Amino acid sequence: MIATHYVYWLLFALMMIGLYVVISHGNMLKKLIGLSLFQVGVFLFFISLGKVDGGSAPIVSEDVETYSHPLPQVLILTAIVVGVATLAVGLALAVRIFESYGTVEEDQVLLRDADDREQDGGAS
Amino acid sequence: MTAHLPVLQVLVPLVCAPFCVLLRSRTAAWLLFLFAALASLTCAVLLAVRVGGDGAQRYEMGGWPAPAGIEFVVGAFNTPVLLVVSAVAVVVAVYSRRSVTSEVDARRVPLLYTCLCLTLAGLLGLTVTGDVFNAFVFLEISSLSTYALVAMGRHRRALLASFRYLVIGTVGATFLLIGIGLAYAVTGTLNMSDLARRVADLGDDGGGNRALYAAVVFVFVGLAVKIAVFPLHAWLPGAYAQAPSAIGAFLSATSTKVAIYVFCRFAFTVFGTTLVFGTMPIDRIGLALACLAMVAGSAVACFQTDLKYLLAWSSIAQIGYILAGISLATTAGVSAGYLHVINHAVLKAALFCAAGLLVLRLGSARFTALAGLGRRMPWTFAAVVIAGLGLVGVPPTAGFASKWALLTALVDQGQWAVVAAVLASSLLAMVYIGRIVEVAWFREPAEPGTGPTASKAPASMVAAIWVLVLASVYFGLDATWPAGLADAAADALLANGGE
């Protein structure tokens, strides 16, 4: 079971490493790195689904008989674009957060927010 | 032209989005969004009429026949969602003109409308698509633009809310993608009706295929994040409360509702009712989480000191009602769920719009700022209380109609524990709406200097609020129209595909 499906075991391990980084780290950049790792694991999973034993790249040629399935690769091309866009939005937010809070550590940001709220409470 | 309605519905807002950026003018961007929303509403109404007349409409994208090509399907099961999303978009468009100018930096206003157009296109696309991978792409279009919209809030806390939403939302969407991948590995197709056929061929319980079971779980968990089902709700209060008021109103009425619809579409018409709610315990899990959401959401709402946060927590409880109806997997239950989708969208949009008006005139929606203003701003607070009573479910408001339908469906199935949770949650809703009344009428104003700053409430905002409030009262008095839509949707979903 493990031997024949070792690719899936590896890829799901990669996904879980990514997810664990997202959960365990308070640093926003590290969270985004974990998120990317998680997504890359999923992309590789899709592509490995389309691999045919002994199949060549799905480019039509006269001396090739078997091709790997091209559809998952095309799907993942789209998903990669989505992943890049997500990372870009995430990084842009991290930059804005650094500009207004001076830190990208989540607990520090929360502390500074709590200070804000105390000042609000004192003023009203 | 009319044959292209399903795609025009999505295409008009999508094409308007880049023009909003290019024109760089606030008025032009607003007019474009208003135009996109009106066009979508027109398409939705025309489609609803056609679906009522001759059944589900299918549109083959680019003329490529399904299952190889992507198809859009409009049937009785998604017309209510299309109508709600596009109608709320029109009302929010009218409302947003003044609200957005007062809350968002002038240079960012065209960008805000760009994102709003993209969100609308994404949500409508997610609703009409008949292809599972296409659903993922539309989900991400709407989510990414939503993150940007939330980040445009007035306080720097909006940035943190947006970042958290981005992280958890992306994890949810990626879970959905894993589920789609597993389902594709089992069946070899991405078209929803084709998938349904091939899953049914595997046998009643999915032929004991564990990859298919994993697919159902991944899809359910992924969508549960987007629906904000109770333990996965953490992103919601910050995102709704910190976003600009018009955006909060739009999102609260549409984004979770569309996610709920997508869950229904997957559960009933892709994986099949027997597999999801029979072989797998999604019904029991759904009911248990719904009970937790109803009680916990309403209880936390009682302790909020900011009107917007209170409304956001109440949304989590109201989502519990909808989830409970759908998890019953009976016609009456799903119909009650759909009815509450419609009614809650109208009520919550009205309340968030009213909160936005308070922010405009008082600078904040915190209870300290609202204290004792019930007499000085009677109309705004009257709107809040009428819509608030709708959330509690007092007859004759819209909330009563859907809650009654839900209770009947629950009693039919003998789910007494859930009935108790619904009643407990309604009592707690009474408490938090009561707190608003207490703050507005029975507390002394904090300082004599505080009070409404702008001399008059903008007519467009007041009109938007009262249109929604009156619609909610009308749906309470005469529920035939929304109930008819909800019944047709439930019948179509449970009639195994309804296509």
Side-chain angles (χ1 to χ4, degrees), chain B residues 9 26 59 99 109 147 228 255 269 291 302 305 334 336 433 456 458:
Chain B
Q9 165 111 315
R26 276 185 289 166
Y59 181 86
S99 168
V109 172
Y147 307 145
S255 71
T269 69
C291 293
C302 295
T305 53
V334 176
I433 298 302
K456 265 187 87 175

Side-chain angles (χ1 to χ4, degrees), chain A residues 22 28 35 38-39 42 45-46 49 69 71 75 82 86 89 93 96-97 100-101 106 110 113 116-117, chain B residues 108 133 140 144 151 156-157 159-160 162-164 166-167 170-171 174-175 177-178 181-182 184-185 190:
Chain A
V22 174
M28 290 175 188
L35 207 57
F38 179 46
Q39 287 184 315
V42 180
F45 167 67
F46 262 77
L49 285 178
H69 198 345
L71 184 62
L75 295 182
V82 170
T86 312
V89 175
L93 280 173
R96 290 272 312 276
I97 288 173
S100 48
Y101 286 94
E106 204 167 0
L110 286 176
D113 256 352
D116 278 7
R117 228 165 285 166
Chain B
R108 290 219 184 101
F133 192 79
E140 284 295 57
L144 282 171
R156 61 179 185 176
R157 240 170 278 158
L159 297 170
L160 186 64
S162 169
F163 187 85
R164 284 183 163 176
L166 179 133
V167 169
T170 307
V171 171
T174 312
F175 266 57
L177 186 60
I178 299 174
L182 288 167
Y184 177 66
L190 293 164

Side-chain angles (χ1 to χ4, degrees), chain B residues 13-30:
Chain B
L14 196 64
V15 170
C16 285
F19 285 105
C20 290
V21 187
L22 291 174
L23 290 175
R24 283 270 158 201
S25 143
R26 276 185 289 166
T27 316
W30 174 71

Side-chain angles (χ1 to χ4, degrees), chain B residues 188-361:
Chain B
T189 181
L190 293 164
N191 180 276
M192 285 184 185
S193 10
D194 205 28
L195 247 168
R197 257 193 302 282
R198 297 198 192 185
V199 169
D201 286 347
L202 290 173
D204 253 357
D205 57 349
N209 191 319
R210 287 196 299 176
L212 191 61
Y213 294 167
V216 174
V217 173
F218 274 113
V219 167
F220 175 66
V221 175
L223 288 173
V225 170
K226 292 286 173 189
I227 300 174
V229 172
F230 172 64
L232 303 169
H233 65 280
W235 58 269
L236 188 144
Y240 285 8
Q242 296 294 340
S245 306
I247 306 304
F250 182 64
L251 293 179
S252 69
T254 57
S255 71
T256 49
K257 311 296 180 293
V258 172
I260 288 167
Y261 157 73
V262 176
F263 172 65
C264 289
R265 184 87 160 98
F266 269 93
F268 295 109
T269 69
V270 175
F271 294 123
T273 320
T274 346
L275 174 64
V276 178
F277 298 106
T279 315
M280 301 193 61
I282 302 290
D283 55 338
R284 279 147 277 169
I285 296 174
L287 282 175
L289 295 180
C291 293
L292 280 173
M294 288 179 218
V295 178
S298 294
V300 176
C302 295
F303 293 98
Q304 298 304 309
T305 53
D306 183 303
L307 183 59
K308 283 192 175 185
Y309 275 95
L310 185 152
L311 295 176
W313 277 100
S314 130
S315 277
I316 291 167
Q318 302 284 329
I319 287 161
Y321 295 134
I322 300 169
L323 184 66
I326 285 158
S327 301
L328 284 177
T330 61
T331 316
V334 176
S335 166
Y338 261 81
L339 187 58
H340 203 57
V341 163
I342 301 171
N343 289 344
H344 180 245
V346 174
L347 289 168
K348 216 20 98 55
L351 283 164
F352 268 103
C353 284
L357 184 58
L358 293 171
V359 170
L360 175 77
R361 298 193 65 194

Side-chain angles (χ1 to χ4, degrees), chain B residues 360-449:
Chain B
L360 175 77
R361 298 193 65 194
L362 306 170
S364 158
R366 294 165 64 90
F367 282 173
T368 42
L370 308 185
L373 293 177
R375 276 174 232 283
R376 291 178 55 191
M377 301 172 73
W379 288 99
T380 313
F381 279 99
V384 170
V385 169
I386 295 174
L389 290 177
L391 288 184
V392 181
V394 177
T397 56
F400 174 74
S402 41
K403 240 179 225 184
W404 185 254
L406 177 63
L407 285 174
T408 324
L410 286 168
V411 170
D412 275 352
Q413 296 295 305
Q415 297 284 356
W416 296 105
V418 189
V419 172
V422 170
L423 294 177
S425 171
S426 303
L427 284 177
L428 287 167
M430 200 75 167
V431 173
Y432 62 69
I433 298 302
R435 278 198 67 201
I436 301 175
V437 173
E438 189 257 338
V439 167
W441 276 280
F442 298 103
R443 262 193 215 171
E444 288 303 308
E447 284 164 38

